[in-house]
Amino acid sequence: MKSPHHAHDKKTELKQLVQTLPNLPGVYKMLDKSGGILYVGKAKSLKSRVGSYFAKTIEHAKTQALVQRIDNIEIIITRSETEALLLEQNLIKNHKPPYNIILRDDKSYLYIYISTDKYPRLSYGRGKGNHVQGRFFGPYPSAHSAKEALLLMQRLFMLRSCSNSFFAQAVRPCLEYQIKRCKAPCVNLVSQEQYQDDVAAALSFLQGNAADMQQLLVEKMEAAANELNFEQAAFYRDRLSMISNLQAKQAVFRLQGEADVFAIAAQAGMAVVHILTVRGGQVLGGKNYFVDDVNLDNKTISERLAEFLLSFYFQVSDDLPSEIISSVELEHTKTLSDLLYEQFAKRTTFKHRVSTHRDDWLNIAKLNADNALAAKLKDSEELQARFFALEQILTPVSNRVLHRIECFDISHTMGEAAIGSCVVFDRGGVRKRDYRQYAIHDITAGDDYAAMRQVLTRRYSKQPLPDLLLIDGGKGQLGIAKEVLVELGKLDDTLLVGVAKGEGRKAGLEVLHFIHHEPLDLPADNKALHLIMQIRDEAHRFAITAHRKKRDKKRAGSVLEVIPNLGPKRRRDLLNHFGGITQLIGASQEEIAHVKGIGKTLAATIYKALHT
């Protein structure tokens, strides 16, 4: 560990650096000793803002941890606060500094789309990427709500959802046709004109014109009944019922409006933002985000929400609504509007005093934020108790305050398809966006020590070390980890602990191994042990999931290569037809036989090879 004298010199050096900073707006980057960016911030006055980090009154634990790791500070002066905000968000998006507001679930939202093909496809995807041309509807914050809406649309309008390659090679109707979720345009069981009518009806429905759709279905149902085509009349009746059920669910929301509604709740140093997404007058869903920042104690609730809002639109959303409704009044909305215009090339209106249906939306968002915070505080109490217990039992070994823990595990089957996993926990719980998987190459099959050496070297030659590094294994794996850190010159940057199974390799009997101390055997009811087991089990789950996926793909691919009469072209045609090896494994023998150039005999051989 660093000597107190060295730490004192560095702090003095940084304070002297602060004195040379200008009283101008700009962006500052806090760097660790390897030059990695720890934190990016913006300021009206760089000198004043950066200097506040070295005040004696700082109590926020995460801020203290940040200051301890700062080795250098770089600044970029800007002409205005707007420029500083824009630069700050771009740097955060590109570098993902560990101490900035990082959205733990930063997946882009789902959209339902209708493509522009001759026979348009109804499907969903994340973001409005260039992978498909068409009309997009959403965004849906919840994958469940998007998939539920898509399923309803398929049952209502029976548009195809298959990939273009599957559509082009189909020779008979698939299961979707049998269960009445597609009219099988792939084999001409519906005319192009009738299919386009269904597409037009789907577009109209997605745009909120349910009343027109209902009237059309009523007319078709009555016409079918008059012609004594009762089966067709029942079909239209069922579609009318689906629409009525959907409207009943959303009756209170059948209004015009397009907005993202932000409600923030804060307590005990924790803050949560609930975002309710409204498009075409319909509430498409909501999502909770827990604000994770080093400066929560020094900011007003309005400042917290404003900074989160920018992070959300720069990191997650690719859709800006015409209105942003917030539970608190936001300052500098003109600056926020300018920044969002730079990102989306469109203007939005900020509101915090609303009435009628907008007030209903805001109240729903507030209710969800309050409930999420209450649940998180309850979970957080247990998590903090576990962290505190772990710090206490590790005190004889190290006095480190634990803010970040990383754990490694190796998974393989008799040496095949080896995968190394790294999972990350901090005081807020799991940090899934920081998880990593490492495919292991060029080692002797089954050599776990070589696998661990390779994974640790690849990670920590580029990444900073956590406060606590857990290795799933006993003295042998711990020795390998020590050798790697010594070679990298980073042994003193972390506390290294091996987690080994105890007597009988039973869960709950784990033993902790250290480099310079005797092993520690914790009682089964110890909260520190519960935290270690939670992290270790998550690392194992993450590794074995990736390993099985890699192993199964490799095995299936290898099986295809040794099947007689199945050359490269036929293998490629098979995979293109089904969209991948996973889909091929799930196909029936009859479906495989319908692929061009395969036939019944070869299909039987392929099916048997894939399933034995």
Side-chain angles (χ1 to χ4, degrees):
M1 296 191 57
K2 292 181 181 179
S3 68
H5 179 70
H6 177 82
H8 177 75
D9 289 346
K10 175 54 64 177
K11 192 169 184 179
T12 302
E13 183 181 325
L14 290 172
K15 285 184 176 181
Q16 291 173 350
L17 174 62
V18 170
Q19 297 305 313
T20 67
L21 298 180
N23 286 311
L24 294 171
V27 170
Y28 55 93
K29 296 185 290 183
M30 294 178 166
L31 311 177
D32 61 21
K33 67 178 185 180
S34 63
I37 300 178
L38 295 169
Y39 184 78
V40 174
K42 52 83 184 167
K44 294 179 183 178
S45 167
L46 287 165
K47 183 174 185 177
S48 175
R49 184 71 192 91
V50 176
S52 68
Y53 286 91
F54 301 96
K56 294 181 179 180
T57 55
I58 288 180
E59 296 181 359
H60 196 288
K62 195 170 183 182
T63 309
Q64 293 174 348
L66 166 64
V67 173
Q68 289 174 2
R69 296 182 64 180
I70 298 172
D71 189 75
N72 195 12
I73 299 171
E74 294 180 356
I75 65 167
I76 304 172
I77 299 171
T78 58
R79 293 171 297 181
S80 67
E81 187 181 7
T82 303
E83 280 188 354
L85 275 166
L86 184 59
L87 178 58
E88 175 198 36
Q89 289 300 321
N90 284 331
L91 287 171
I92 292 171
K93 185 175 182 178
N94 291 332
H95 298 285
K96 296 181 172 59
Y99 286 89
N100 276 98
I101 294 179
I102 300 296
L103 305 184
R104 290 173 181 268
D105 180 4
D106 60 352
K107 292 180 181 176
S108 56
Y109 280 9
L110 283 164
Y111 290 80
I112 288 176
Y113 68 83
I114 296 180
S115 68
T116 56
D117 304 301
K118 180 179 179 181
Y119 289 97
R121 176 191 183 197
L122 174 68
S123 189
Y124 65 87
R126 290 197 181 273
K128 296 180 179 179
N130 296 322
H131 65 287
V132 65
Q133 298 297 316
R135 297 285 301 276
F136 286 78
F137 300 89
Y140 291 85
S142 160
H144 174 74
S145 61
K147 292 172 184 177
E148 189 178 55
L150 179 66
L151 179 60
L152 174 68
M153 294 288 295
Q154 288 174 329
R155 294 171 61 197
L156 267 174
F157 305 107
M158 299 178 71
L159 302 182
R160 75 176 182 95
S161 60
C162 57
S163 67
N164 288 341
S165 61
F166 187 92
F167 178 82
Q169 299 183 57
V171 294
R172 67 172 188 169
C174 67
L175 181 62
E176 293 293 304
Y177 172 79
Q178 306 296 336
I179 62 176
K180 293 184 170 55
R181 291 209 303 231
C182 179
K183 292 183 177 178
C186 53
V187 290
N188 300 316
L189 293 186
V190 60
S191 68
Q192 187 178 354
E193 294 75 17
Q194 185 179 347
Y195 192 85
Q196 289 295 341
D197 288 343
D198 292 331
V199 170
L203 287 170
S204 178
F205 182 78
L206 283 168
Q207 290 166 345
N209 301 323
D212 295 342
M213 183 66 196
Q214 281 180 303
Q215 182 60 35
L216 179 64
L217 287 173
V218 168
E219 292 172 0
K220 288 187 174 184
M221 181 180 68
E222 292 176 347
N226 290 335
E227 295 172 3
L228 304 183
N229 188 349
F230 299 116
E231 184 177 352
Q232 191 67 16
F235 172 83
Y236 292 127
R237 179 203 62 203
D238 292 342
R239 267 62 197 165
L240 271 171
S241 177
M242 289 179 200
I243 293 178
S244 298
N245 288 338
L246 180 67
Q247 286 187 307
K249 288 181 183 178
Q250 297 190 332
V252 69
F253 306 124
R254 298 301 298 170
L255 303 156
Q256 290 303 308
E258 178 187 79
D260 283 342
V261 186
F262 291 79
I264 185 169
Q267 184 181 337
M270 186 179 294
V272 61
V273 178
H274 184 85
I275 308 173
L276 196 72
T277 304
V278 184
R279 296 294 185 272
Q282 298 183 48
V283 174
L284 300 182
K287 194 165 188 175
N288 296 313
Y289 290 92
F290 287 88
V291 180
D292 186 12
D293 188 25
V294 297
N295 289 313
L296 282 177
D297 294 339
N298 300 323
K299 294 174 183 172
T300 66
I301 197 89
S302 176
E303 288 174 327
R304 295 184 198 183
L305 184 55
E307 292 200 3
F308 170 85
L309 187 146
L310 285 178
S311 296
F312 173 74
Y313 284 114
F314 273 76
Q315 293 181 35
V316 176
S317 181
D318 55 6
D319 185 82
L320 183 69
S322 57
E323 295 179 14
I324 291 176
I325 301 171
S326 59
S327 59
V328 295
E329 183 177 7
L330 299 175
E331 301 176 359
H332 312 299
T333 53
K334 175 63 167 62
T335 300
L336 293 175
S337 180
D338 290 344
L339 279 170
L340 294 176
Y341 182 79
E342 291 275 352
Q343 180 80 352
F344 294 96
K346 63 181 288 190
R347 291 288 180 185
T348 188
T349 303
F350 289 87
K351 298 179 179 178
H352 75 283
R353 290 194 179 95
V354 289
S355 58
T356 63
H357 56 281
R358 285 176 174 78
D359 188 48
D360 291 336
W361 296 338
L362 185 55
N363 285 330
I364 291 171
K366 287 178 180 177
L367 178 64
N368 279 277
D370 290 339
N371 285 341
L373 183 63
K376 186 70 172 179
L377 284 171
K378 185 176 180 180
D379 291 342
S380 179
E381 287 177 5
E382 175 62 21
L383 183 63
Q384 301 312 314
R386 290 183 177 188
F387 263 85
F388 179 74
L390 184 56
E391 287 174 342
Q392 293 298 109
I393 67 109
L394 292 177
T395 298
V397 181
S398 169
N399 288 319
R400 291 177 184 270
V401 177
L402 302 180
H403 293 288
R404 184 181 175 98
I405 302 173
E406 296 184 4
C407 181
F408 284 83
D409 186 27
I410 305 295
S411 181
H412 58 82
T413 301
M414 301 297 289
E416 179 190 4
I419 286 285
S421 76
C422 172
V423 300
V424 182
F425 276 62
D426 65 11
R427 296 269 180 172
V430 298
R431 291 191 66 97
K432 288 196 174 182
R433 65 168 297 145
D434 291 346
Y435 282 20
R436 293 294 182 270
Q437 293 170 344
Y438 298 88
I440 298 166
H441 306 289
D442 304 322
I443 65 169
T444 303
D447 188 345
D448 286 354
Y449 290 166
M452 184 64 75
R453 180 187 298 278
Q454 183 179 127
V455 170
L456 292 176
T457 302
R458 286 165 60 185
R459 179 163 182 82
Y460 294 120
S461 60
K462 298 179 181 179
Q463 300 293 329
L465 280 146
D467 302 301
L468 173 62
L469 175 55
L470 295 177
I471 303 297
D472 186 23
K475 293 180 179 179
Q477 289 285 32
L478 186 67
I480 294 297
K482 176 186 175 182
E483 290 175 12
V484 171
L485 296 188
V486 169
E487 291 168 7
L488 296 174
K490 294 184 174 182
L491 183 61
D492 294 332
D493 292 356
T494 188
L495 173 59
L496 190 57
V497 178
V499 184
K501 291 287 198 312
E503 184 180 349
R505 299 182 60 80
K506 294 180 180 179
L509 299 177
E510 282 75 7
V511 177
L512 305 186
H513 292 273
F514 307 95
I515 296 175
H516 300 300
H517 292 77
E518 291 299 312
L520 187 59
D521 190 353
L522 298 175
D525 62 349
N526 189 284
K527 288 183 181 293
L529 178 62
H530 297 167
L531 178 60
I532 289 172
M533 291 172 62
Q534 179 185 359
I535 298 171
R536 194 275 318 278
D537 291 347
E538 175 66 1
H540 183 64
R541 179 204 64 80
F542 188 54
I544 202 167
T545 301
H547 156 65
R548 285 173 177 167
K549 184 176 179 181
K550 179 183 178 183
R551 179 198 64 190
D552 293 347
K553 183 176 180 180
K554 179 181 177 182
R555 285 181 178 178
S558 300
V559 167
L560 289 181
E561 291 176 2
V562 298
I563 294 175
N565 301 319
L566 190 66
K569 184 180 183 302
R570 282 178 172 173
R571 289 201 300 270
R572 185 172 62 251
D573 289 344
L574 265 175
L575 295 175
N576 287 339
H577 179 91
F578 290 103
I581 193 68
T582 304
Q583 292 86 342
L584 173 58
I585 293 172
S588 69
Q589 184 174 319
E590 290 76 15
E591 288 172 328
I592 296 173
H594 279 88
V595 177
K596 184 179 179 180
I598 299 298
K600 290 184 178 179
T601 303
L602 184 54
T605 303
I606 294 169
Y607 185 83
K608 184 177 180 181
L610 290 173
H611 293 273
T612 55

